[in-house]
Amino acid sequence: MSSRDLSRRAALGRTLGLAALAAPFVATSRPARSQAGWPTRPVTLVVGFPPGGQTDFAARIVQPGIGKVLGQTLVIENRGGAGGNLATEVVVRAKPDGYTLMASNSSPMAINPHTFPNMTVNPLEMVNIGLALRSAMVLCVHPSVPARNIAEFTAWVKAQKDIPDYGIASAGSLSHCTSELFRARAGLPAMQSIPYRGSGPAMQDFIAGRFPMMFDAASVVAPFVKANQIRAIMVTSEKRVPAFPDAATAQEQGLDDFIVSSWIGISGPRGTPTEVVARVNAALNEALSDPAVRDRITSQGDEPGGGTPESFDKLVRSDHARWGQVVKANNITSAG
């Protein structure tokens, strides 16, 4: 081959390389090479929160079933920090070979990008594989509040000499955003939020009467409602939640288009092979088909997930857009 041919080939290579760099990003899981033998070793599922929380519960309840279908151990790795952002950064930057996945949560995926101004990664670049579970948000009041529905609660708030506060799991959390969305939709005056470092500490003060109302996930508030320490007056799901038979839905109480849920799924780095996405999605659906797994999820007040990667991706992107508008309208920021 002549030196002129070599020069032409090199120039063509540079041109193609520049074209590839200039091409717009498309969120896809198309692989660079086949992963037909995957997995040949344990797969890590990163959880962005400490053990014992809702995300950790979701990951561990599907862990055995997924591992059984894949024929490899699914290792749970808790990497809490920055409201789930630390885990997101780890997975976004991981090698897209299917061996590092994330138990994705509605807050770090759909809310944090709007409330953390210095967030260094974009969760929308991730490949969304499947939905593990959903949990309605529940509006609860302290037993001292003489209200059993939205109408009575809004009337009570407006009758107070001093506008009451409300508790939130943390600044910029789903409970924070849901509270502000509800306040605006219900026509309530501006209320002061009291942020905590998680639902646990917030619930302790709520039960003690430090504030009169709080939104949190069904599985978080269910034990305290059952013990009559707080009262559930509204659920944000399409249908009533069996764990709260006396709490009507938002729509039943006149708030249309107020479907809000906390969700946990499985996501992976951009570029995760399509074969891997399909296998993990199938394994997740298989795990969720186990009656014992479904019973454990519903007993917590949650709803089993399932479905396709496309349906889960649509949920992630829809919530990302929705909460972005709420955050902007109410100047919500994160404590991070």
Side-chain angles (χ1 to χ4, degrees):
M1 183 179 293
S2 68
S3 59
R4 179 176 299 177
D5 291 334
L6 289 172
S7 297
R8 288 178 178 174
R9 182 166 295 183
L12 177 61
R14 287 193 297 271
T15 301
L16 291 175
L18 289 172
L21 289 172
F25 164 70
V26 177
T28 178
S29 59
R30 184 173 300 165
R33 60 183 181 275
S34 175
Q35 295 287 325
W38 183 92
T40 59
R41 54 186 171 87
V43 176
T44 298
L45 184 65
V46 182
V47 174
F49 300 90
Q54 187 189 37
T55 305
D56 184 71
F57 165 77
R60 294 183 188 279
I61 200 169
V62 298
Q63 177 188 25
I66 292 177
K68 181 178 179 180
V69 175
L70 295 181
Q72 289 287 343
T73 303
L74 184 66
V75 179
I76 305 297
E77 181 180 321
N78 295 89
R79 300 195 62 157
N85 287 351
L86 178 58
T88 303
E89 291 186 7
V90 168
V91 177
V92 166
R93 293 171 175 156
K95 184 177 180 180
D97 56 8
Y99 289 100
T100 303
L101 305 174
M102 184 174 81
S104 44
N105 175 287
S106 49
S107 287
M109 296 289 285
I111 297 178
N112 289 4
H114 308 292
T115 60
F116 280 81
N118 298 321
M119 195 166 176
T120 59
V121 296
N122 180 11
L124 290 186
E125 291 185 357
M126 301 182 76
V127 175
N128 296 309
I129 298 173
L131 177 67
L133 62 80
R134 299 180 71 161
S135 183
M137 297 297 284
V138 184
L139 173 58
C140 294
V141 297
H142 188 267
S144 62
V145 177
R148 296 185 178 275
N149 53 52
I150 293 176
E152 292 177 358
F153 177 71
T154 54
W156 177 82
V157 170
K158 293 177 180 179
Q160 301 307 298
K161 180 179 180 180
D162 297 319
I163 299 174
D165 302 329
Y166 66 89
I168 54 177
S170 62
S173 63
L174 182 60
S175 65
H176 191 180
C177 292
T178 304
S179 298
E180 283 301 310
L181 181 61
F182 168 75
R183 184 196 59 75
R185 292 287 304 279
L188 293 174
M191 302 168 70
Q192 181 67 39
S193 63
I194 304 176
Y196 289 82
R197 297 183 66 85
S199 296
M203 194 60 62
Q204 291 178 6
D205 270 11
F206 188 18
I207 293 171
R210 172 70 178 79
F211 49 82
M213 72 158 274
M214 181 175 171
F215 268 101
D216 216 321
S219 54
V220 173
V221 305
F224 306 101
V225 172
K226 185 176 181 179
N228 295 317
Q229 294 174 301
I230 55 177
R231 182 187 309 123
I233 64 172
M234 183 188 77
V235 293
T236 63
S237 48
E238 294 181 7
K239 300 178 181 179
R240 292 201 186 195
V241 179
F244 316 99
D246 298 327
T249 67
Q251 186 172 12
E252 287 178 310
Q253 300 189 60
L255 281 183
D256 294 329
D257 190 29
F258 199 84
I259 306 299
V260 179
S261 64
S262 169
W263 45 258
I264 294 101
I266 297 179
S267 302
R270 171 188 176 186
T272 300
T274 51
E275 298 99 317
V276 171
V277 172
R279 289 204 62 191
V280 176
N281 177 264
L284 174 62
N285 280 300
E286 180 70 18
L288 291 169
S289 70
D290 184 338
V293 170
R294 299 183 71 84
D295 286 347
R296 282 194 63 193
I297 292 174
T298 55
S299 69
Q300 298 283 326
D302 296 330
E303 176 185 348
T308 65
E310 291 77 16
S311 62
F312 180 42
D313 185 71
K314 182 178 180 180
L315 172 63
V316 173
R317 294 178 183 278
S318 174
D319 270 12
H320 182 278
R322 179 189 202 182
W323 295 124
Q325 294 175 352
V326 173
V327 166
K328 183 176 181 180
N330 296 280
N331 297 315
I332 297 174
T333 59
S334 170

